[in-house]
Amino acid sequence: MSHPADVMHPLAESPAREAGYRPDIDGLRAVAITLVVAYHAFPGRFSGGFVGVDVFFVISGFLITGIIFDQMRRGTFTIASFYGRRVRRIFPAMITVVLATCLAGGVFLPAKELQSLGLSMIGSAAFVQNFVLLGEIGYFDVEAARKPLLHLWSLAIEEQYYILWPLLLLLIRRLRMNPVTWVAVLAGISFWVGLVLLGKNRDLAFYLPISRFWELFAGSFLAIATILAKEVPLFERTLAKADDFLHPLVFSAGVPAGRNLPAQIGALLAVGLVAWVTFRFGPDTPFPGKNAALPIAAAMLLILCKRSWVNQRLLASPPMVFIGLISYPLYLWHFPLMAFARIMSPPEHLRPVMVGVVLLSVALAWLTYRFVEYPIRFGGVCRRAISALGAGMVVIGLLGLIADRTGGLPQRMPSSLRSFMLTGEETSSHWRRGQCLLLPDQGAEAFTPDCAGHGGHPLLLIWGDSYAAAEYVGLEHFRTEMGYDVAEYTSSACPPLIGFTLAERPFCKGNNDFVLERIRALRPEVVILHGT
């Protein structure tokens, strides 16, 4: 188990090379962050990689509860020192990444998106991002991949857990209650609430802390049970008995004694579970609920089976430990970079761009770990420095408040473009709604004669939805000086597809059939198709 000074957010802990340190836990972090990054970069290929966050929750509960409980038993635990270490560990990298995201948003995002980013910054600074997102967007919604700070929902849930859990654990000890029993009871209640919510509202089940706490409680249960078992951990006694039973069964197959067969089997089973959920789960999988029990069980098995080949040779290998060490800043950096890549890159070029983003994320994560996290964590940080970190988080909240209350800082934009960027009035007033841009309740008979243009050639004919109608304004503006004519036949939410039907837009097919006839009659030199 890591040294007390190291135990903060599980994505970022680095080992103190002391007795009890488990490099395989860092390797397990590497597995978790790899799953998350792969899912966010290539959701089609790693459709269940989002379970990496659930693995992190188990690691967090195991490590941090282990240290809290051990310090309580020795009488050295204090709330002030716990949160001082937590601020020192979490805040530096988070402040760095969120400020960088804010700067990039100010340069690249339009007003509406920057306003949304501002609200996310407030939620991140107050560690309530999960509640902010609950009122905005679901984690699996298509547009969620374009919200730069969406991923901080998990950090918010974890902080909410550690605001309550140390106090509750102190109460359990003071009342001399069995902590193992109570952790199991609390985990069961949380799991049951999650199941109920999942049946009613998936976003509530995903974002509310009460429906996710059981995943952290799972790790807490392991930590407390292991400590109370003293020199011979509870699970290891069980393993020893299982080993005695299994060896006679497999000895004839050539497996020598002393290979810790239960641990080997458990670790391989865990690896199989992780692989299965990574490629079989997807956005349509009901989650968390009972499906989350699979990655949780896998994480618990890998923590318990520390003597297995998987743990000692694979998870504890130097490359895995390295990724585990930088996993917290990697988690922080990768999603904003991917969100901006999706905003700025054409979809057909996104795959190679994502490969570059992953490499850049790893580089930035290492730089953040080396020059931000490590010096602050182990550089003799005093109360004044902790106060400065707290002030930095307040600054993030204030910047977010400014972006939110000003409507996305429209002052960034040239005055000539500001009104258009904010309202679109300069163009939308020329869309000819109800005449050449038909509304949802209008059929093809509503198209007016002037939609055909002025009778000149070469003729550009625009066919599509309201996005196509927006193109008419620019083309019409340059019509005279460029020597062409423009025709517009567009219908709200109707892409230019022959035979297209949509229940919410019953006139789409008829309107598109009419436009096809107009193309045959007008014989334009160019037909511009635009739909979303």
Side-chain angles (χ1 to χ4, degrees):
M1 194 172 294
S2 298
H3 188 273
D6 295 326
V7 177
M8 295 300 149
H9 191 281
L11 299 171
E13 297 166 30
S14 96
R17 297 293 193 252
E18 297 184 6
Y21 165 64
R22 287 182 55 179
D24 61 309
I25 297 293
D26 276 320
L28 186 55
R29 286 196 192 95
V31 172
I33 191 60
T34 300
L35 291 176
V36 173
V37 172
Y39 169 70
H40 288 150
F42 310 107
R45 290 183 176 272
F46 302 93
S47 58
F50 56 85
V51 301
V53 172
D54 305 271
V55 174
F56 278 129
F57 282 158
V58 178
I59 297 171
S60 172
F62 177 73
L63 290 178
I64 299 179
T65 299
I67 289 191
I68 293 173
F69 190 69
D70 184 60
Q71 289 182 343
M72 286 180 179
R73 296 182 76 220
R74 291 187 285 111
T76 60
F77 176 80
T78 66
I79 293 292
S81 63
F82 173 73
Y83 283 110
R85 291 194 306 270
R86 200 154 185 81
V87 166
R88 192 170 61 192
R89 177 59 193 90
I90 293 175
F91 282 27
M94 184 174 173
I95 291 172
T96 301
V97 174
V98 175
L99 285 178
T101 304
C102 178
L103 178 62
V107 174
F108 297 112
L109 295 181
K112 184 178 179 181
E113 283 74 12
L114 185 62
Q115 183 179 21
S116 177
L117 178 62
L119 187 59
S120 288
M121 290 173 63
I122 297 171
S124 301
F127 294 101
V128 292
Q129 175 71 328
N130 53 325
F131 291 107
V132 170
L133 293 171
L134 188 58
E136 284 191 341
I137 197 167
Y139 180 78
F140 297 104
D141 292 349
V142 174
E143 288 300 310
R146 299 163 66 93
K147 294 182 71 67
L149 297 180
L150 175 131
H151 64 315
L152 296 184
W153 69 270
S154 63
L155 187 59
I157 285 180
E158 194 171 354
E159 290 311 294
Q160 291 154 20
Y161 180 79
Y162 289 115
I163 288 172
L164 299 174
W165 177 229
L167 301 175
L168 187 57
L169 193 53
L170 281 172
L171 179 64
I172 289 173
R173 284 187 54 77
R174 180 165 296 181
L175 296 179
R176 299 182 181 277
M177 297 186 292
N178 187 323
V180 175
T181 300
W182 277 100
V183 170
V185 169
L186 292 171
I189 293 173
S190 173
F191 181 75
W192 176 78
V193 171
L195 286 177
V196 172
L197 289 176
L198 187 61
K200 296 181 177 181
N201 187 310
R202 186 185 189 186
D203 289 343
L204 284 176
F206 195 92
Y207 285 132
L208 284 184
I210 184 62
S211 59
R212 303 304 291 257
F213 277 176
W214 69 273
E215 302 179 26
L216 290 132
F217 277 129
S220 298
F221 176 88
L222 288 183
I224 294 174
T226 300
I227 291 174
L228 292 180
K230 302 205 187 267
E231 293 82 10
V232 183
L234 179 64
F235 188 71
E236 289 193 4
R237 286 205 300 262
T238 305
L239 287 181
K241 292 180 180 179
D243 215 30
D244 292 340
F245 173 76
L246 287 173
H247 271 302
L249 301 180
V250 299
F251 185 77
S252 59
V255 179
R259 289 293 183 89
N260 203 1
L261 282 175
Q264 311 293 355
I265 295 171
L268 290 175
L269 176 60
V271 171
L273 280 174
V274 170
W276 191 85
V277 299
T278 298
F279 297 105
R280 294 300 298 270
F281 281 11
D284 296 329
T285 302
F287 201 88
K290 61 183 181 181
N291 286 314
L294 296 179
I296 297 302
M300 294 176 73
L301 277 173
L302 287 172
I303 290 173
L304 289 169
C305 299
K306 61 183 180 180
R307 300 187 186 280
S308 71
W309 179 90
V310 169
N311 288 61
Q312 294 187 346
R313 297 299 180 89
L314 181 60
L315 296 182
S317 64
M320 296 293 284
V321 171
F322 170 75
I323 296 298
L325 290 179
I326 66 169
S327 56
Y328 175 55
L330 180 54
Y331 184 78
L332 292 177
W333 276 113
H334 85 281
F335 198 84
L337 292 173
M338 291 180 182
F340 282 111
R342 286 189 166 92
I343 291 170
M344 301 171 64
S345 301
E348 62 271 17
H349 298 153
L350 197 56
R351 180 165 295 182
V353 168
M354 281 299 169
V355 173
V357 167
V358 171
L359 296 176
L360 178 60
S361 299
V362 172
L364 289 174
W366 181 83
L367 290 172
T368 304
Y369 171 79
R370 177 66 180 81
F371 296 105
V372 177
E373 290 184 22
Y374 196 89
I376 292 177
R377 228 165 76 220
F378 301 112
V381 176
C382 61
R383 289 184 181 178
R384 195 172 295 176
I386 292 177
S387 299
L389 291 172
M393 200 63 76
V394 172
V395 168
I396 286 176
L398 291 176
L399 290 174
L401 186 64
I402 292 171
D404 178 54
R405 294 300 176 87
T406 61
L409 289 172
Q411 296 81 3
R412 299 172 294 140
M413 307 168 190
S415 57
S416 59
L417 297 177
R418 192 174 302 159
S419 180
F420 164 67
M421 293 295 290
L422 293 176
T423 66
E425 289 179 357
E426 279 81 354
T427 59
S428 63
S429 61
H430 300 288
W431 285 359
R432 301 184 290 180
R433 286 189 175 91
Q435 299 172 1
C436 302
L437 169 60
L438 300 191
L439 303 179
D441 59 349
Q442 290 182 301
E445 68 279 358
F447 282 120
T448 58
D450 60 342
C451 297
H454 303 272
H457 281 268
L459 176 64
L460 281 64
L461 187 145
I462 304 171
W463 176 18
D465 55 15
S466 58
Y467 286 90
E471 296 181 0
Y472 168 78
V473 183
L475 292 172
E476 173 65 16
H477 181 74
F478 294 104
R479 176 179 59 82
T480 302
E481 57 190 89
M482 299 299 292
Y484 57 75
D485 199 3
V486 184
E488 176 194 1
Y489 291 96
T490 58
S491 303
S492 174
C494 294
L497 300 173
I498 299 172
F500 176 81
T501 59
L502 183 66
E504 293 81 6
R505 296 290 193 273
F507 294 100
C508 278
K509 184 179 184 303
N511 291 353
N512 284 335
D513 290 343
F514 176 83
V515 177
L516 196 60
E517 290 298 324
R518 296 302 294 155
I519 291 173
R520 293 191 181 102
L522 295 173
R523 302 183 67 83
E525 280 73 17
V526 176
V527 176
I528 300 174
L529 307 177
H530 193 160
T532 58

